[in-house]
Amino acid sequence: MLNGILLNSSAGAIAIGAVVLASQFGAGPIGSGVYGSDRAYASYGSGPEQPEQNWTITTELADLMEMDSVLAPFLAARLDASHYTLNRVISGESRVPRLFLPRLPSDLKEVPDTDTRKSIFLRTILPLVLQSNREILAERRRLFAAKRLVDAGKAPAVSEIIWLEQLAEKYKTSADDMDRLIRRVDVVPVALALAQAVEESGWGSSRFARLGNAIFGQYTTLDDHGIIPKQAGSDPDFKIKAFPDLLSGIRSYMRNLNIHPAYAGLRQKRSEIRAAGQKPVGRALAVTLTGYSERGFEYVKTLHLIIDANDLSELEERARLAPPATPAPVS
């Protein structure tokens, strides 16, 4: 049993496991495992012969990462200048740049043109959703590697046993029940994540999104860091959980879908789709989220409308993060 092996581990082995985790995933929201040395980000340019290999515009997008806040018109101009548009992503002309902005533009709500406002929101959130899923897939691949060893009657390395225990704690289950852990360590399809972000934040205009990077409306306890809803009055029952940056909020949202009992149906359906050799898609999994809102099936209908009206299924099919840019030599 994994627990039995872990109990016999030494303090030195625990330290090794912590080093392994830190080196792979970083120390926090802006840890090296997420941002690393590739802080110069870029998008693909277009070309008739090599549409996905013409690397362009690293500096303009990289500069955005260094700014404490960005106004919507400026952000839209930078994104347009880098040829990062949703149509180009859907057509396959462009990958999604590794643009991980800490927050939405504070003036996003004031953008007069609806299409522009929606485009800014989706282009800001899409790279973060892809990055969060990328982290989950890294965990999932490592988990499958450990399971293959266990199934073959072999003991994983001590560092892997420690990692499995910490992963199981993160996903609120037992490391000994690998099948259940595998059902939980899985991605949230892009179309579903984007549609819920749209609905829960009002295209990024909500007070919770602006003040606390809370684009999914996750509840938290009164003693936790969060924002009290205005309608709660002087005697609130809960807060909306606030986050230091958008990526932290998206990670928390995906973990919530992967551990909360209310979303067991999503995890089961996703597992069944995987077992049938198919890829989970957002529109199909949306039907399991009647418990996310008191509106029940009406909420699901709204998610489907958002997905269909904004071509999010097509975006889900084609959107891929661009590889890290190679830093330019210092002259």
Side-chain angles (χ1 to χ4, degrees):
M1 300 288 285
L2 290 171
N3 286 331
I5 298 174
L6 180 63
L7 289 173
N8 293 324
S9 300
S10 66
I14 293 174
I16 292 172
V19 171
V20 171
L21 284 168
S23 66
Q24 180 164 354
F25 298 110
I30 54 173
S32 60
V34 177
Y35 296 96
S37 60
D38 56 351
R39 278 192 74 86
Y41 299 103
S43 69
Y44 280 104
S46 63
E49 297 179 357
Q50 294 180 317
E52 292 189 357
Q53 297 180 17
N54 184 17
W55 195 253
T56 60
I57 316 295
T58 58
T59 305
E60 288 190 351
L61 291 181
D63 286 348
L64 293 173
M65 300 286 295
E66 305 298 331
M67 298 178 184
D68 190 46
S69 62
V70 180
L71 294 180
F74 181 77
L75 175 58
R78 283 291 179 96
L79 296 177
D80 292 343
S82 72
H83 307 294
Y84 170 35
T85 68
L86 300 176
N87 285 337
R88 286 172 60 86
V89 172
I90 291 173
S91 69
E93 293 179 85
S94 176
R95 295 282 188 97
V96 178
R98 292 171 174 262
L99 179 63
F100 306 142
L101 295 180
R103 59 190 57 84
L104 291 163
S106 59
D107 61 339
L108 184 59
K109 187 177 181 179
E110 280 71 53
V111 175
D113 182 71
T114 301
D115 289 340
T116 300
R117 186 168 65 252
K118 289 181 176 181
S119 176
I120 293 171
F121 179 80
L122 291 176
R123 286 187 288 175
T124 300
I125 301 302
L126 177 59
L128 300 166
V129 169
L130 292 173
Q131 173 61 28
S132 188
N133 272 333
R134 186 172 177 266
E135 295 168 9
I136 293 173
L137 282 175
E139 293 175 329
R140 186 173 171 85
R141 285 193 294 268
R142 191 170 174 183
L143 176 57
F144 268 106
K147 187 176 187 302
R148 284 193 293 269
L149 281 176
V150 173
D151 289 346
K154 299 178 182 178
V158 172
S159 60
E160 290 303 289
I161 294 170
I162 296 168
W163 176 80
L164 281 168
E165 289 288 341
Q166 295 193 3
L167 186 71
E169 181 178 358
K170 175 181 176 181
Y171 285 93
K172 301 299 182 184
T173 188
S174 169
D176 292 320
D177 190 348
M178 282 197 169
D179 290 333
R180 189 180 190 207
L181 186 54
I182 285 170
R183 285 196 298 273
R184 295 190 172 205
V185 183
D186 205 346
V187 299
V188 175
V190 167
L192 179 59
L194 291 178
Q196 288 200 269
V198 166
E199 175 63 10
E200 298 296 331
S201 74
W203 291 98
S205 66
S206 75
R207 171 171 162 258
F208 307 119
R210 289 183 286 108
L211 299 182
N213 296 306
I215 59 174
F216 294 102
Q218 294 174 257
Y219 288 10
T220 189
T221 58
L222 291 176
D223 57 354
D224 195 5
H225 182 58
I227 304 169
I228 298 175
K230 287 183 177 179
Q231 63 270 27
S234 59
D235 188 23
D237 295 324
F238 62 90
K239 292 180 180 179
I240 299 298
K241 189 172 180 60
F243 300 94
D245 51 58
L246 289 168
L247 184 56
S248 297
I250 292 172
R251 286 171 174 157
S252 178
Y253 151 78
M254 291 188 175
R255 179 173 175 270
N256 188 39
L257 290 187
N258 281 329
I259 67 172
H260 199 287
Y263 313 125
L266 180 145
R267 298 190 292 273
Q268 182 61 34
K269 186 174 182 66
R270 183 176 60 189
S271 179
E272 291 170 356
I273 292 171
R274 293 274 195 201
Q278 299 174 355
K279 179 181 177 181
V281 294
R283 206 178 191 285
L285 293 188
V287 301
T288 68
L289 292 183
T290 54
Y292 202 94
S293 165
E294 61 185 15
R295 293 162 51 207
F297 282 109
E298 290 301 316
Y299 180 74
V300 172
K301 290 179 182 178
T302 299
L303 294 182
H304 281 167
L305 285 173
I306 293 170
I307 290 171
D308 296 342
N310 297 280
D311 299 323
L312 298 187
S313 291
E314 290 81 358
L315 191 62
E316 175 179 275
E317 178 66 25
R318 303 304 297 270
R320 300 292 184 274
L321 273 179
T326 302
V330 178
S331 57

